Amino acid sequence: MNHITDAVRALIGLRSDWIEACHPVEASEVRRFFQALMDPNPRYWDAASPAAARYGGPVAPPGFAVHAFRRPPDEIEDPLGADGDPEFDGTSRLVRRGLPRVPVPLRGVLNGGYEYEFFSYPRLGERILCRSAYRDITQREGRSGPMVLIVVEDEYATGGEFRPLLKSVSTLITR
């Protein structure tokens, strides 16, 4: 069965508008992030360090922008609310803010990998923006049947000046 219909093909190349993270880059979130990475580089916390001075003050680790998009405080529905459902397989990962859901009837979701290209560090107090695009959607036959590969490109930039922070290309596999 071919899941790549005209409606699915029409999504390839579709790009969302810029969406702003609900909070600016905050020192406490940066601290939690670099501690989780086990990377206590002074550029992330010590304004007097030469590395921080180079960037005009403490900065967040390069991958922080991806994780700056937390659930907004006014979003009531829990995205993991279906985790007690035996059929739940993380389909919430298929939803990208600003992009329509890819209309395929496959329910299982696998992470097919990420590629990152880093441009600059987010600075404390900056707003982070993101826009997403469907780069490609293809179908392959696997051992357990058809699978659809969805390639999504996310661009992250700072609010105001649109200074590029990073580009992420992720592959989602539905089966």
Side-chain angles (χ1 to χ4, degrees):
M1 168 179 252
N2 188 4
H3 295 296
I4 308 299
T5 63
D6 289 341
V8 171
R9 269 191 287 284
L11 296 176
I12 298 171
L14 185 65
R15 183 176 302 281
S16 73
D17 292 331
W18 287 100
I19 297 171
E20 186 174 294
C22 61
H23 297 102
V25 178
E26 300 168 339
S28 64
E29 293 297 323
V30 170
R31 177 192 53 80
R32 291 175 62 196
F33 192 81
F34 74 70
Q35 285 177 338
L37 295 175
M38 293 188 275
D39 180 6
N41 191 307
R43 79 169 50 113
Y44 306 136
W45 57 271
D46 183 1
S49 78
R54 175 180 176 195
Y55 302 108
V59 293
F64 180 83
V66 174
H67 302 283
F69 285 82
R70 299 177 296 277
R71 191 164 50 129
D74 60 347
E75 187 176 301
I76 296 170
E77 186 177 333
D78 184 350
L80 299 177
D83 69 349
D85 178 354
E87 296 297 314
F88 181 72
D89 193 19
T91 56
S92 62
R93 289 178 285 177
L94 282 176
V95 177
R96 280 295 207 273
R97 287 185 174 99
L99 288 177
R101 182 182 289 272
V102 177
V104 295
L106 304 172
R107 295 179 47 107
V109 181
L110 297 169
N111 179 344
Y114 294 92
E115 298 173 26
Y116 289 105
E117 185 176 357
F118 297 103
F119 302 110
S120 63
Y121 293 103
R123 296 182 191 114
L124 295 181
E126 287 186 313
R127 290 289 195 172
I128 296 178
L129 305 173
C130 178
R131 69 177 176 182
S132 302
Y134 289 124
R135 280 183 54 183
D136 199 12
I137 305 172
T138 57
Q139 181 170 326
R140 292 188 185 160
E141 198 61 35
R143 284 184 286 192
S144 62
M147 48 186 185
V148 174
L149 287 77
I150 303 166
V151 180
V152 180
E153 178 181 276
D154 297 313
E155 296 175 88
Y156 296 86
T158 60
E161 65 186 67
F162 287 94
R163 187 180 83 251
L165 295 171
L166 73 93
K167 183 189 300 183
S168 166
V169 178
S170 59
T171 302
L172 301 168
I173 302 170
T174 62
R175 56 181 180 87

